[in-house]
Amino acid sequence: SAVGARFAAEAKFHLTYPYFSEFEKIQIPSDPQAQQKAVKKKIALIDLMSGHLSEVIKYDSGEYIVAALTILGQAYSHMYSAIVATPIPKALGADKVQAYKAAVEQMALPFKEKAIANLKAAIEKSIKLEAITNWSRQAREEIGKYEKTGGDRELTRPLRLIDWMGL
């Protein structure tokens, strides 16, 4: 990779991270019209973060590839959880609650799938690139919410032994 690429990736990542903080602060209210507005705002921020984080990945710095994939996975995971936890409208009759919950789960499912894909990619890249950082551990913890096997593989740097016998 080019000289300075790691620093450029780090700078771009740190410039993008405040969007994630802003994204997490947006609450989905119980009012149906306000819900749609909040969800659209969250989706716009995910799209913005995704664009910036793809630029981080292009710098080809292992540590920040893992960080970018992890934060994107966490954003999609947060979006899934926020949608699923959306308050049920009070005007909805008891007979329609189950159908409403099923529709909400169906709407949230693509976010869960993207979360899992990004978190798995973060874990795989951290192992392949030997970029075992706090971000790879966070990815493992986050994916554990969805898959029992996600957090089972221990993230450690491989031990490299030197063959001293040949000297």
Side-chain angles (χ1 to χ4, degrees), residues 2 4 16 19 21 29 37 72 75-76 102-103 106 109 115-116 120 124 166:
T16 304
Y19 294 119
S21 299
K37 185 179 176 185
L72 201 52
Y76 283 119
Q106 194 63 34
L109 192 59
I116 291 169
K120 278 185 175 180
E124 289 166 9

Side-chain angles (χ1 to χ4, degrees):
S1 70
V3 175
R6 181 196 175 281
F7 300 109
E10 180 180 11
K12 185 71 175 176
F13 179 80
H14 288 295
L15 288 171
T16 304
Y17 193 80
Y19 294 119
F20 181 69
S21 299
E22 181 183 340
F23 167 82
E24 283 186 309
K25 290 177 187 172
I26 300 170
Q27 300 294 315
I28 300 176
S30 57
D31 175 44
Q33 278 95 21
Q35 284 177 351
Q36 187 176 15
K37 185 179 176 185
V39 168
K40 282 183 179 180
K41 191 170 182 181
K42 285 176 96 62
I43 289 172
L45 280 170
I46 280 185
D47 291 344
L48 181 67
M49 284 187 297
S50 181
H52 287 292
L53 293 171
S54 67
E55 291 175 28
V56 170
I57 291 168
K58 287 178 187 173
Y59 284 112
D60 202 27
S61 170
E63 177 182 353
Y64 287 98
I65 290 172
V66 174
L69 290 168
T70 299
I71 204 73
L72 201 52
Q74 288 174 331
Y76 283 119
S77 178
H78 176 86
M79 187 69 182
Y80 168 76
S81 298
I83 291 172
V84 170
T86 300
I88 298 168
K90 292 176 176 71
L92 201 62
D95 56 328
K96 296 181 181 173
V97 169
Q98 201 58 33
Y100 177 82
K101 285 182 178 180
V104 167
E105 175 67 33
Q106 194 63 34
M107 188 177 93
L109 192 59
F111 295 105
K112 178 181 177 181
E113 291 168 350
K114 287 180 180 182
I116 291 169
N118 279 283
L119 294 166
K120 278 185 175 180
I123 293 166
E124 289 166 9
K125 289 287 187 184
S126 72
I127 293 167
K128 182 180 177 185
L129 301 173
E130 296 182 23
I132 310 300
T133 65
N134 187 45
W135 291 109
S136 47
R137 286 178 183 81
Q138 286 184 37
R140 218 174 93 213
E141 288 171 14
E142 190 74 31
I143 204 167
K145 294 178 182 177
Y146 304 110
E147 298 180 350
K148 292 291 181 209
T149 58
D152 287 349
R153 188 166 179 188
E154 188 61 36
L155 293 177
T156 58
R157 294 185 189 271
L159 180 62
R160 298 233 167 114
L161 300 176
I162 300 170
D163 181 12
W164 294 100
M165 299 305 288
L167 295 177

